[in-house]
Amino acid sequence: LKRMNNIKKGEVGMDKYIFRGFNSYSRKWRLGDLVHKRHKQLIITEADNYDARIASLQMLEVEEKSIGQFTGLHDSKGFDIYEGDIIEDAKINHRFFVYYDNEEAKFKGMTPEGISTGERERYMYSFGINQEWLTKYPKVIIGNMFENPELLCIGVRCEAE
């Protein structure tokens, strides 16, 4: 699992909006501003051949399902947490994924029960997350919904899908 941590802890709060998306061409995760252009999702980021003497930005198409916003939170190892990340509390063998709840206007965690049954509204269990909880009871990023959805499978439920 390759993790990105380009943002220094405490440097960026929720007053700045940073998005992550997977670029299929380069096979890399990209960070930057999100732009919707016709039927494409683009991330504006520094060019790969960035030269500090010349400001160089590029717009890269990213997979729509891979896009996630930075939550302003960090796991217990200090890595940035984005929407779609899968977090684990190894002490109690519990996993959840991070999503944005539009009704409550906050990032939350959701257990996998609803995902693997295909009946999210009926079986899901969601809860608020904050930095104190992530740090006090150590939680770590183990993957994300785009690259590793199998990490949320429960028993044989995902095998049939």
Side-chain angles (χ1 to χ4, degrees):
L1 173 65
K2 184 177 179 183
R3 297 183 184 159
M4 299 180 309
N5 201 24
N6 296 342
I7 303 163
K8 293 179 184 169
K9 195 171 183 178
E11 181 178 81
V12 176
M14 286 312 299
D15 57 331
K16 295 186 181 181
Y17 299 97
I18 298 168
F19 292 86
R20 165 183 84 178
F22 188 79
N23 177 263
S24 297
Y25 178 75
S26 67
R27 310 286 307 155
K28 292 181 182 179
W29 286 93
R30 308 305 259 184
L31 299 178
D33 290 328
L34 179 64
V35 175
H36 301 281
K37 186 175 181 183
R38 297 210 171 141
H39 300 287
K40 296 179 181 181
Q41 314 304 317
L42 306 165
I43 295 282
I44 300 174
T45 187
E46 291 180 355
D48 285 334
N49 57 353
Y50 180 74
D51 184 336
R53 296 169 293 172
I54 304 168
S56 180
L57 296 177
Q58 61 183 354
M59 290 177 51
L60 299 169
E61 187 171 353
V62 293
E63 299 286 331
E64 185 174 3
K65 291 182 179 182
S66 74
I67 297 170
Q69 184 177 346
F70 176 52
T71 64
L73 302 171
H74 301 87
D75 73 0
S76 59
K77 293 184 178 181
F79 291 103
D80 302 336
I81 297 176
Y82 287 83
E83 266 182 291
D85 278 345
I86 299 171
I87 312 280
E88 181 176 60
D89 180 339
K91 186 175 181 182
I92 60 171
N93 195 25
H94 179 74
R95 292 179 180 176
F96 63 92
F97 77 97
V98 178
Y99 75 103
Y100 187 78
D101 185 323
N102 287 318
E103 290 180 16
E104 294 187 31
K106 67 180 181 180
F107 290 100
K108 296 174 81 174
M110 183 182 297
T111 59
E113 285 80 14
I115 298 166
S116 46
T117 63
E119 299 181 42
R120 289 180 63 183
E121 296 302 318
R122 184 170 172 200
Y123 293 102
M124 70 181 171
Y125 170 69
S126 66
F127 48 91
I129 58 176
N130 62 49
Q131 192 61 58
E132 180 182 0
W133 181 73
L134 290 163
T135 307
K136 186 174 181 181
Y137 306 101
K139 314 287 186 293
V140 294
I141 300 167
I142 59 169
N144 63 68
M145 296 290 291
F146 180 71
E147 292 182 301
N148 321 99
E150 72 281 357
L151 292 174
L152 291 175
C153 290
I154 302 170
V156 295
R157 291 186 195 164
C158 288
E159 292 175 14
E161 294 180 11

